[in-house]
Amino acid sequence: MTGIWQDFRYTLRALAKNKGFASVALLTLALGMGATTAIFSVVNAVLLKPLTFAQPERLIKLEERHPDWASPEFTYANFADIAKNTRTMEKLAAYRPWLFTLSGDGEPENVDGYRVSAEFFTVLGVSPQLGRTFLPEENRPGSGDVAVLSNGLWKRRFGSDPNIIGKTCKINGNPSRIVGVMPATFRFPEDSALWTPLALDDTLLTNRRAHLYTVIGRVKPQATLAQARSEAQILAKTIDEENKGIDPNWTAYPSPFQERLVAAVRLPILLLFCAVGFVLLITCANIANLLLAREVARSKEIGVRIALGAGKGRILGQLLTESIVLAFIGSGLGLLVANFALRAIIQLSPGDVPRLQDVSIDWHVLGFTLLVTALAGVLFGVAPALQAFKVDLQNSLRESRRTSLGAAQLRLRSALVISEIALALVLLAGTGLLTNSFVRLLRVPLGFNPKNVLTLQLFLPEATESAADTRSAQTLSAILEKVRTVPGVHFASVVNSLPIAGGVGTDFAIVGRPPVKPEDEPSADIRVIDAAYLRTMQIPLLRGREFSERDSAAAPKAMLINQTMADKFWPGQDPVGSRVTMLDWGPPLTGEVVGLVGDVKPNGPQEPVGSMIYWPYPQFPSLFNYLVVRTMSADPLSVLAGIKGQVRAVNPEQPVSQIRTMEQVLGESLAQRRFSLTLIAIFAGLSVLLAAIGVAGVMAFLVAQRTQEMGIRMALGAQRADVFGLVLRQGMRMTFFGLLIGLAGAFGLTRLLAGMLYGVKPGDPLTFALVSAFLIGVALLACWLPARSATRVDPMIALRYE
Amino acid sequence: MEPLIQMRNLEKAFEAGGSKFFVLRRITLDIQPGEFVTFMGPSGAGKSTLLSIIGMLDSAWSGEYYFLEQPVHKLNVKKRNELHKANIGFVFQSYHLIDNLTVFENLEIPLSYKNVPHKERVSLVCDILDRFNIVGKKDLFPNQLSGGQQQLVGVARAVIQNPKLILADEPTGNLHSAQGDEIMQLFKRLNDAGTTIIQVTHSERNAMYGHRIIQLNDGWVVSEEKAAARVG
Ligand SMILES: Nc1ncnc2c1ncn2[C@@H]1O[C@H](COP(=O)(O)OP(=O)(O)O)[C@@H](O)[C@H]1O
Ligand SMILES: [Mg+2]
């Protein structure tokens, strides 16, 4: 014990004495460990930490799976059948996102919330902070409107009123009774401000076409997930057979809830974790390098210690103590870095990373950091320690040992730097590919002009689901008419979902064509627009006509289709005049194709364009609408006040929300990519910097080792340029080795990125060439100073007797 | 015939602790083409320093130095280097072969700095290997050779570019006498063939191979004498 204490004190003294070494080593470690800790905190918070619900391991998400399309939402009837008949699962609950308008007291505002079936809170096993959650009978329409508030909304809008229970507030135009307030720790789904019962009417209760509901539940304590899976499959098959042809070959598939919750961000987060692991490895290699460099100076001391009777164990102990102490001080500083980095990450992150808000440096993170620190300490301590074992007593006390030790060291240190370069290249290659994808995405033609467009959400509060009717169409017309009078407004329109921001779809059939098997039924995105929409968004009309005033509710139903749909279903023909039936939304609705328009990206720049059908809003009213306004000035927000005023003039209780320019919408669609790209780029930059420091260090060491050789060469006629070139060549040889290994690694590892790339393949030669060239450039710079110092070698030393 | 080397009042000093400390004082000497000159003197006398100045490795000195009638003291670095590369070969006491290069590659070094085409380089190296009878050693590394063999390679390396002047700083200092004699015989033969040689040695016996002995002490030339009786 005293030995260790002595070693510890010795280490601190050595660090204090060698300030240059200490500051470089600790700074490097602080960055490497800080980044690692920060990213592990994210991994921990988002992927690992058990959910805060009761018995989270039994929670499942139940999804519909279809052979030909990807969305996992349930229809209500399917959900109800499975909930009724299952023996392996208990307490299934269905919910769907909803937009709520709060009005009456104070500013009208829109908040995001969820409509949930009665079991929702029971499934999650949470109790309210005040009041109660929903009763089964409240899940029926007409049973009186009730709501449960999130803690956040209760605090913000209701001033934490302790007597809120039983009070009413106007939600979507209806006076609703507040029956409960949830605790602050309950934030599910993440963005939910309030919950109301689903309270579906009969048409939706029995509907097997509208896939609207997310289903969660629990596996019974005596059952397993595997049993639940096979049972769900059987139940789905039964439903399929009883309802021939609606969703052929669909099945139901339960998965652990947590896994599904984070499924979308799992890959990017794990990739970041990998990247930061690389940074940490490079850090370790660099510290090992620094320690090795110091050891040359200390080889004599170690020799003397051995001569004085220190056992190898004792020496090893001392060296490892040193490296581990170093690691721990570095990690301590790293925690500060991590704390800062985490705040930056939360700031930078797009809002849609689940659970990220819960991120913190907790005991799990500390434990992980402790473990990694100890491992890192051993890792970068072991090379110098092994080197020390090569101490041969006889030689160690003679000067000449320096040269032989030097050669072995040089090999070891070169190997370390080669691995640093290889690791850095892999990170650079990943960054390069992601950047390449990102740049391509920015250039993707979207099919409309996003410049000078203001968008805002108009959720019509007085409408109900079954009555998205003429009333809402009239309100929209009134609003549009007023908004068009606002100075600075060029065009104003409505649409049910914005381009590139996702939307709704339906199966359809073409009238007069032989019926297809249900599993082959084509589907299309649905957009509901007004007559000016094409002009507002600058979407080209390719054939036929636009919508006009004529396409009123009473007029024959008209639709526009996009180029892709026309090419697919009317190749070489004119679709105008054909009739198409929309199958999924309530009773089948048939319309005549009156025009053909250009393709617009529906789900973000990276997603392909599918078929799209446009309806005029009077003929197929939508509850959810966006107002899109093309402005004359380059600052679309300049017309906002005027628009708000006109909306209020039509209906004082009509809130406007989600005010964004179309360019912001575009930015948000790329936000997650931009975020991961930024982080990976930071890590790549860090790793390149560290590798450059490594290269410079080894080259300086090499020059020191070979001072005499340089002198001899100069005496034999070498010019400064020759010596400079010699050193540069050495550095480049090392770099190329590293590059080669790195490229091989990158070819393998970038395949993991495939899912995050756009328009570029993993292993893209051009990207790889560019990042290699970049790394070579950096290595050249790193060799520059050592090479210059080599040219300053005095050739006379070659003449002097050593 | 004009002298190969002419020095007039050449001085060299180091700065040490603010004061000047002279290593060479008012060196004035002429060396004729084809001469074999020996510098002798106690350790620290300035012999190596003088040799490196003659070899143009050192340019921090004052006075006049003409090499082949060119005023070295007026030449810029580039010109000096050219003069050095074209005319001077070095032989060192501790051979100074480069450890990680083979004998062949060591011999190639001076040529590589003179833009000799590859083919010619190979033939020059082969020639010299032949002349020095070390063809069998061409692929060995320096640490696989005896001291005498290493110095043989050292001399071969100095000779390969056919210099007018060979500068040898205690070339036999690390060798036992039989090996030393062999190297000295070699110098003698080279000198007989016309190469000017300047050597530094502590050995009277080696000095006998040369024509003239110049004694240095504390930076001063203290005496010049003809070698008593040339051996060889
Ligand atoms: N770089 C230097 N700085 C200071 N003094 C030096 C330096 N190089 C050599 N000297 C000194 O110059 C003197 C002559 O050295 P040197 O020419 O090597 O002598 P010799 O070869 O005759 O033994 C010595 O006193 C030596 O200490
Ligand atoms: Mg000397």
Side-chain angles (χ1 to χ4, degrees):
Chain A
M1 206 57 215
T2 52
I4 292 182
W5 177 237
Q6 244 176 29
D7 290 345
F8 180 68
R9 277 201 336 222
Y10 179 88
T11 304
L12 291 185
R13 204 174 333 131
L15 283 178
K17 232 170 37 192
N18 202 338
K19 293 211 174 58
F21 166 80
S23 46
V24 173
L26 290 179
L27 182 71
T28 313
L29 266 173
L31 286 176
M33 287 304 305
T36 309
T37 303
I39 295 300
F40 182 74
S41 307
V42 174
V43 171
N44 181 50
V46 178
L47 302 183
L48 298 181
K49 232 198 273 181
L51 297 165
T52 49
F53 309 123
Q55 294 181 297
E57 68 288 347
R58 280 173 45 219
L59 270 178
I60 49 162
K61 187 172 178 201
L62 186 61
E63 295 175 331
E64 284 198 13
R65 297 255 166 119
H66 302 265
D68 53 347
W69 102 91
S71 80
E73 276 81 29
F74 257 83
T75 65
Y76 195 87
N78 289 348
F79 156 73
D81 283 352
I82 290 185
K84 193 171 68 196
N85 296 320
T86 177
R87 291 164 185 286
T88 61
M89 295 172 279
E90 58 181 3
K91 296 181 197 153
L92 291 179
Y95 59 93
R96 68 177 294 198
W98 202 255
L99 193 61
F100 295 98
T101 302
L102 303 177
S103 55
D105 41 352
E107 276 271 293
E109 70 170 315
N110 280 341
V111 294
D112 289 314
Y114 286 80
R115 295 178 60 186
V116 303
S117 69
E119 302 80 9
F120 179 79
F121 294 101
T122 343
V123 165
L124 294 170
V126 286
S127 323
Q129 180 176 330
L130 297 174
R132 60 170 174 83
T133 55
F134 300 127
L135 307 171
E137 58 268 27
E138 285 167 341
N139 205 19
R140 272 171 237 127
S143 61
D145 293 309
V146 290
V148 169
L149 302 183
S150 72
N151 202 272
L153 185 66
W154 173 59
K155 279 199 181 114
R156 182 170 59 74
R157 193 171 170 102
F158 301 96
S160 301
D161 178 4
N163 304 313
I164 187 96
I165 303 303
K167 290 193 176 161
T168 49
C169 115
K170 222 169 170 190
I171 298 177
N172 290 351
N174 300 321
S176 305
R177 198 154 43 87
I178 292 163
V179 297
V181 174
M182 296 309 287
T185 48
F186 181 76
R187 278 185 279 111
F188 182 82
E190 202 89 9
D191 52 351
S192 189
L194 66 88
W195 301 265
T196 66
L198 265 181
L200 300 178
D201 58 29
D202 291 344
T203 56
L204 279 171
L205 281 176
T206 53
N207 186 305
R208 286 189 203 276
R209 281 195 172 269
H211 299 267
L212 297 170
Y213 307 95
T214 307
V215 175
I216 56 174
R218 283 176 181 274
V219 176
K220 281 187 177 162
Q222 61 273 26
T224 65
L225 182 63
Q227 287 168 337
R229 280 185 176 159
S230 48
E231 190 204 34
Q233 208 173 356
I234 295 166
L235 292 174
K237 201 167 177 78
T238 319
I239 295 172
D240 193 13
E241 275 157 14
E242 287 169 1
N243 301 278
K244 265 279 171 268
I246 295 184
D247 273 321
N249 299 325
W250 80 280
T251 187
Y253 193 80
S255 313
F257 182 58
Q258 183 159 7
E259 181 193 304
R260 300 311 299 160
L261 185 67
V262 297
V265 293
R266 175 182 221 93
L267 176 65
I269 289 182
L270 288 180
L271 278 173
L272 280 177
F273 193 49
C274 268
V276 86
F278 276 31
V279 173
L280 188 62
L281 280 178
I282 295 177
T283 308
C284 288
N286 240 358
I287 306 279
N289 239 331
L290 284 171
L291 287 171
L292 278 168
R294 207 173 56 141
E295 194 168 316
V296 175
R298 288 183 49 191
S299 62
K300 214 155 169 199
E301 172 208 320
I302 291 168
V304 171
R305 281 172 187 273
I306 291 179
L308 294 179
K312 284 194 169 177
R314 189 75 179 70
I315 299 275
L316 181 69
Q318 188 194 326
L319 291 170
L320 284 183
T321 309
E322 284 187 41
S323 61
I324 290 174
V325 166
L326 195 63
F328 273 94
I329 301 178
S331 278
L333 297 173
L335 283 179
L336 299 180
V337 174
N339 202 9
F340 172 79
L342 271 184
R343 257 180 277 162
I345 286 175
I346 294 176
Q347 278 285 307
L348 275 175
S349 72
D352 53 357
V353 180
R355 312 176 78 201
L356 186 61
Q357 302 308 317
D358 299 336
V359 72
S360 68
I361 299 178
D362 63 10
W363 288 111
H364 294 271
V365 175
L366 282 180
F368 169 84
T369 305
L370 218 63
L371 188 74
V372 170
T373 303
L375 277 177
V378 172
L379 193 64
F380 62 64
V382 94
L386 287 181
Q387 193 82 68
F389 273 176
K390 291 209 181 127
V391 165
D392 148 9
L393 185 53
Q394 208 189 355
N395 275 340
S396 67
L397 299 177
R398 280 212 314 253
E399 279 296 309
S400 71
R401 178 172 183 271
R402 288 183 74 138
T403 45
S404 62
L405 178 65
Q409 270 237 5
L410 191 60
R411 273 196 300 280
L412 189 56
R413 295 189 60 183
S414 304
L416 285 170
V417 168
I418 286 171
S419 52
E420 287 181 40
I421 292 172
L423 290 167
L425 185 91
V426 174
L427 280 187
L428 269 183
T431 309
L433 290 171
L434 291 176
T435 310
N436 193 328
S437 306
F438 196 76
V439 170
R440 278 164 200 269
L441 282 173
L442 289 180
R443 293 213 208 107
V444 164
L446 301 169
F448 68 99
N449 179 2
K451 290 215 168 63
N452 302 351
V453 175
L454 181 69
T455 75
L456 36 91
Q457 196 170 39
L458 277 186
F459 176 60
L460 301 172
E462 75 275 21
T464 61
E465 193 164 11
S466 48
D469 50 10
T470 42
R471 234 179 347 144
S472 63
Q474 279 158 9
T475 312
L476 284 181
S477 305
I479 289 176
L480 278 177
E481 203 170 302
K482 290 263 187 193
V483 166
R484 284 177 182 140
T485 65
V486 173
V489 170
H490 203 18
F491 291 108
S493 293
V494 291
V495 63
N496 61 336
S497 14
L498 293 173
I500 61 175
V504 289
T506 174
D507 285 355
F508 68 87
I510 298 164
V511 176
R513 301 233 174 140
V516 292
K517 276 187 278 165
E519 58 263 45
D520 297 334
E521 256 167 23
S523 59
D525 283 312
I526 296 293
R527 294 292 179 273
V528 180
I529 61 175
D530 72 314
Y533 181 73
L534 297 183
R535 267 166 290 149
T536 305
M537 299 309 271
Q538 296 182 1
I539 299 166
L541 175 75
L542 305 174
R543 252 174 194 291
R545 65 165 177 92
E546 295 180 72
F547 294 138
S548 72
E549 299 303 314
R550 283 189 285 146
D551 301 304
S552 63
K557 303 270 187 272
M559 60 170 65
L560 299 169
I561 63 171
N562 71 349
Q563 176 87 61
T564 297
M565 183 164 168
D567 289 347
K568 189 159 173 205
F569 298 99
W570 291 271
Q573 292 163 270
D574 186 354
V576 172
S578 303
R579 295 169 64 76
V580 174
T581 305
M582 181 169 77
L583 298 172
D584 286 353
W585 290 67
L589 186 66
T590 302
E592 181 183 324
V593 178
V594 298
L596 168 58
V597 303
D599 283 341
V600 173
K601 288 276 183 181
N603 301 317
Q606 70 273 25
E607 303 293 335
V609 177
S611 301
M612 187 173 286
I613 296 173
Y614 295 86
W615 289 103
Y617 74 88
Q619 297 187 347
F620 185 61
S622 166
L623 278 182
F624 302 94
N625 291 286
Y626 289 86
L627 189 62
V628 288
V629 175
R630 180 165 296 279
T631 60
M632 314 215 183
S633 87
D635 174 21
L637 289 169
S638 59
V639 299
L640 182 60
I643 290 175
K644 271 185 167 170
Q646 291 303 335
V647 172
R648 293 280 150 75
V650 175
N651 176 4
E653 298 214 331
Q654 171 67 54
V656 297
S657 59
Q658 291 201 36
I659 298 149
R660 294 171 297 176
T661 66
M662 199 62 221
E663 287 185 310
Q664 279 174 317
V665 176
L666 187 58
E668 281 167 27
S669 79
L670 295 171
Q672 196 149 345
R673 272 174 191 279
R674 181 176 284 131
F675 178 58
S676 358
L677 176 58
T678 309
L679 286 187
I680 288 197
I682 289 174
F683 294 152
L686 204 57
S687 70
V688 168
L689 182 72
L690 291 174
I693 293 175
V695 169
V698 167
M699 292 318 290
F701 181 74
L702 174 130
V703 168
Q705 280 293 306
R706 292 175 64 178
T707 304
Q708 204 184 29
E709 179 187 329
M710 305 298 169
I712 299 168
R713 285 178 182 272
M714 285 168 117
L716 295 176
Q719 308 290 295
R720 305 210 177 276
D722 296 314
V723 172
F724 190 79
L726 183 79
V727 175
L728 231 50
R729 266 201 304 282
Q730 282 280 337
M732 284 302 107
R733 194 178 310 162
M734 210 160 65
T735 307
F736 279 115
F737 249 118
L739 276 184
L740 235 62
I741 299 172
L743 283 174
F747 267 107
L749 287 173
T750 50
R751 246 175 266 171
L752 298 177
L753 276 178
M756 295 170 72
L757 299 183
Y758 179 83
V760 52
K761 293 220 162 52
D764 176 54
L766 180 66
T767 307
F768 277 30
L770 282 175
V771 297
S772 302
F774 174 71
L775 201 52
I776 290 171
V778 171
L780 271 175
L781 279 179
C783 292
W784 201 265
L785 281 182
R788 272 241 322 239
S789 78
T791 65
R792 303 226 175 88
V793 166
D794 182 350
M796 278 156 60
I797 59 162
L799 293 171
R800 303 213 175 274
Y801 179 70
E802 334 141 53
Chain B
M1 203 170 12
E2 285 295 327
L4 178 70
I5 289 168
Q6 275 183 295
M7 281 185 175
R8 297 290 174 265
N9 290 322
L10 190 141
E11 302 220 321
K12 161 125 190 129
F14 290 107
E15 300 280 347
S19 63
K20 256 190 173 176
F21 148 71
F22 281 91
V23 183
L24 293 174
R25 299 304 306 265
R26 299 173 62 188
I27 306 287
T28 296
L29 56 80
D30 287 357
I31 292 171
Q32 304 302 328
E35 254 198 296
F36 189 154
V37 177
T38 305
F39 290 158
M40 296 188 82
S43 169
K47 307 178 297 287
S48 296
T49 308
L50 183 53
L51 221 54
S52 65
I53 291 173
I54 295 173
M56 295 173 223
L57 298 180
D58 184 349
S59 50
W61 42 264
S62 61
E64 292 174 21
Y65 168 22
Y66 297 88
F67 186 89
L68 281 172
E69 295 172 64
Q70 305 246 39
V72 178
H73 48 282
K74 287 185 185 159
L75 298 181
N76 61 20
V77 178
K78 209 173 154 220
K79 285 263 169 59
R80 273 187 208 184
N81 276 333
E82 274 166 19
L83 213 53
H84 157 210
K85 265 206 290 195
N87 298 297
I88 299 172
F90 272 96
V91 177
F92 308 98
Q93 175 176 1
S94 40
Y95 335 129
H96 284 340
L97 302 181
I98 292 173
D99 291 337
N100 50 3
L101 302 183
T102 62
V103 166
F104 190 99
E105 290 163 342
N106 264 291
L107 291 174
E108 234 185 333
I109 297 175
L111 303 176
S112 73
Y113 295 130
K114 288 176 74 176
N115 291 329
V116 181
H118 178 72
K119 256 180 130 170
E120 199 175 319
R121 247 194 259 175
V122 172
S123 78
L124 278 171
V125 173
C126 288
D127 268 5
I128 210 87
L129 285 167
D130 227 22
R131 251 170 80 195
F132 282 66
N133 252 324
I134 45 176
V135 178
K137 311 262 184 297
K138 74 177 171 57
D139 293 323
L140 298 183
F141 287 94
N143 60 8
Q144 294 168 300
L145 302 176
S146 74
Q149 289 166 336
Q150 288 192 49
Q151 193 58 302
L152 207 57
V153 178
V155 177
R157 186 176 63 181
V159 169
I160 192 162
Q161 38 168 350
N162 201 16
K164 290 203 168 59
L165 173 65
I166 288 178
L167 300 172
D169 196 348
E170 304 187 37
T172 62
N174 286 1
L175 301 177
H176 56 72
S177 59
Q179 288 173 328
D181 282 343
E182 201 181 320
I183 296 295
M184 289 315 298
Q185 294 284 356
L186 183 55
F187 278 132
K188 176 85 176 28
R189 281 201 301 281
L190 289 167
N191 179 244
D192 290 345
T195 310
T196 310
I197 293 177
I198 304 175
Q199 71 164 338
V200 170
T201 186
H202 289 292
S203 141
E204 295 289 342
R205 186 185 156 91
N206 286 356
M208 290 301 126
Y209 286 88
H211 301 113
R212 188 153 58 119
I213 297 169
I214 296 173
Q215 290 282 350
L216 283 126
N217 202 339
D218 252 347
W220 295 91
V221 172
V222 292
S223 77
E224 276 190 57
E225 53 189 327
K226 276 215 146 52
R230 282 195 90 195
V231 285

